[in-house]
């Protein structure tokens, strides 16, 4: 996922041929909102503002009604006035930015602990390192000792700055698109569900191979789940893989092929390829059972 980047053509989500109830507006800077909000599973809604009546003298002057935009063909829809608070609440940046900020903060703390271990090797630094290993590393050992939550907390830990940057670029690029389209609650279920599914898939591989001391960390499973769901919604949207433009469906197929080959030790050893596949599988599953059944239809 880290090799993937968003291009400007992903904006085809709102410019494409959606049904009137499904049209969404991803350009939050111009304060445009949907004509009809989806009421699919876990979808949030925004209340419409009420304006003062012209006959009330004590009330402020009535706001003129916006001119309705009429489009010919299949995309006839009317534009509603934006909510007053919409410009102050940017859900995509807040939700995705919160996840990115948590990962960056945890990485900064691990760098500090590592520096303390190398310089002073104090008892506090040793205790902090032990605490991180027990509560933020996904492993069969931690699971058997009752720390099942590490399958989620490990998604906030990263091994290196490159590892962190690659995952956060992918999460920021594709995550904001999905929050705008399906709502924050559905996106959070998608992200953390992909993290858990990827962790369970990695546990299965570790048990089959007898790797009881192996451990994993990183948000790759959740990020790839977000990417897989985006690829299901806009399979022909353009993306870049190592600066090579290709459709979203081709990028998803390429990631699956790389993960399958990596599980057979053909390339990229040491990566959680099973976690990548598990995250992508949950992303496609959530699109099938929740996103597709809502008002946000697949874009061809």
């Amino acid at each position: 996922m880290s090799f993937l980047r968003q291009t400007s053509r992903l904006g085809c989500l709102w410019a494409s041929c959606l049904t009137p109830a499904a049209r969404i507006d991803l350009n939050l800077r111009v304060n445009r909102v949907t004509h009809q909000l989806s009421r699919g599973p876990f979808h949030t809604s925004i209340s419409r503002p009420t304006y003062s009546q012209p006959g009330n003298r004590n009330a402020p002057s009535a706001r003129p009604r916006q001119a309705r935009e009429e489009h010919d063909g299949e995309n006839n829809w009317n534009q509603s006035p934006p909510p007053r608070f919409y410009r102050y609440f940017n859900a995509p940046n807040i939700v995705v930015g919160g996840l990115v900020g948590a990962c960056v903060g945890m990485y900064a703390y691990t760098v500090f602990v590592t520096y303390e271990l190398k310089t002073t090797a104090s008892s506090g630094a040793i205790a902090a390192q032990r605490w991180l290993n027990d509560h933020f590393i996904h492993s069969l050992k931690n699971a058997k000792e009752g720390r099942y939550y590490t399958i989620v907390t490990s998604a906030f830990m990263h091994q290196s700055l490159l590892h962190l940057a690659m995952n956060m670029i992918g999460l920021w690029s594709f995550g904001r698109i999905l929050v705008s389209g399906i709502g924050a609650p559905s996106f959070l279920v998608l992200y953390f569900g992909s993290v858990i599914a990827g962790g369970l898939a990695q546990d299965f591989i570790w048990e089959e191979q007898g790797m009881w001391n192996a451990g994993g960390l990183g948000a790759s499973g959740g990020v790839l789940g977000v990417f897989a769901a985006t690829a299901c919604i806009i399979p022909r949207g353009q993306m870049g893989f190592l600066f090579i433009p290709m459709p979203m469906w081709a990028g998803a197929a390429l990631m699956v092929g790389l993960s399958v080959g990596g599980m057979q030790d053909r390339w990229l050893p040491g990566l959680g390829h099973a976690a990548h596949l598990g995250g992508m599988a949950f992303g496609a599953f959530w699109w099938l059972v929740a996103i597709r059944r809502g008002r946000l239809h697949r874009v061809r």
Side-chain angles (χ1 to χ4, degrees):
M1 182 60 210
S2 314
F3 300 97
L4 303 175
R5 65 179 179 87
Q6 176 197 9
T7 64
S8 59
R9 292 192 63 183
L10 286 180
C12 66
L13 257 178
W14 75 271
S16 59
C17 299
L18 297 180
T19 58
R23 177 174 292 275
I24 59 174
D25 189 2
L26 300 184
N27 191 358
L28 301 180
R29 300 178 183 177
V30 296
N31 299 327
R32 298 178 63 189
V33 295
T34 58
H35 170 57
Q36 285 183 337
L37 293 171
S38 305
R39 296 191 178 273
F42 300 98
H43 198 286
T44 57
S45 61
I46 301 177
S47 58
R48 297 180 181 270
T50 56
Y51 302 101
S52 59
Q53 299 296 332
N56 188 357
R57 297 181 178 179
N58 297 327
S61 60
R63 183 177 180 179
R65 190 173 185 177
Q66 293 184 352
R68 297 182 178 273
E69 297 184 6
E70 297 183 357
H71 299 267
D72 297 331
E74 299 178 355
N75 298 328
N76 294 327
W77 63 290
N78 295 324
Q79 183 179 1
S80 303
R84 295 174 182 175
F85 65 88
Y86 189 73
R87 67 182 62 183
Y88 305 107
F89 181 74
N90 194 331
N93 289 347
I94 291 175
V95 174
V96 181
L99 293 174
V100 172
C103 293
V104 172
M106 282 302 304
Y107 180 75
Y109 179 70
T110 58
V111 170
F112 172 76
V113 172
T114 303
Y115 176 78
E116 288 291 322
L117 286 174
K118 291 181 178 180
T119 55
T120 62
S122 62
S123 59
I126 296 175
Q129 184 64 50
R130 185 179 298 111
W131 179 76
L132 289 174
N133 293 337
D134 290 340
H135 300 285
F136 288 90
I137 300 295
H138 172 223
S139 63
L140 294 177
K141 175 180 176 296
N142 285 335
K144 287 190 175 182
E145 293 178 358
R147 294 185 289 272
Y148 301 102
Y149 52 86
T150 55
I151 198 173
V152 175
T153 57
S154 62
F156 296 97
M157 288 275 291
H158 291 82
Q159 187 174 4
S160 64
L161 183 60
L162 179 62
H163 186 204
L164 172 70
M166 293 164 66
N167 280 333
M168 294 304 101
I169 290 174
L171 179 59
W172 182 258
S173 299
F174 298 108
R176 292 180 301 159
I177 294 177
L178 282 188
V179 174
S180 299
I182 67 178
S186 182
F187 170 79
L188 291 176
V189 173
L190 166 64
Y191 179 76
F192 287 107
S194 300
V195 168
I196 295 174
L200 293 177
Q202 194 64 56
D203 284 342
F204 176 78
I205 296 299
W206 284 340
E207 289 184 358
E208 289 292 324
Q209 297 178 354
M211 303 175 63
W212 305 102
N213 296 324
L217 70 166
S220 299
V223 175
L224 281 173
V226 172
F227 167 66
T230 308
C232 290
I233 298 173
I234 46 173
R236 297 186 182 181
Q238 292 297 309
M239 56 162 288
F241 187 89
L242 294 178
F243 303 102
I244 302 175
M246 63 181 64
M248 296 281 289
W249 66 265
L254 183 59
M255 289 301 302
V256 171
L258 290 175
S259 298
V260 171
M263 291 178 60
Q264 300 176 0
D265 297 329
R266 295 184 178 180
W267 46 67
L268 300 176
L271 297 183
H273 298 289
H276 296 171
L277 288 176
M280 294 188 71
F282 185 87
F285 168 78
W286 189 248
W287 168 78
L288 182 65
V289 303
I291 300 175
R292 190 175 66 92
R293 296 195 176 191
R295 300 284 184 172
L296 183 59
H297 290 234
R298 173 177 173 176
V299 182
R300 296 186 179 272

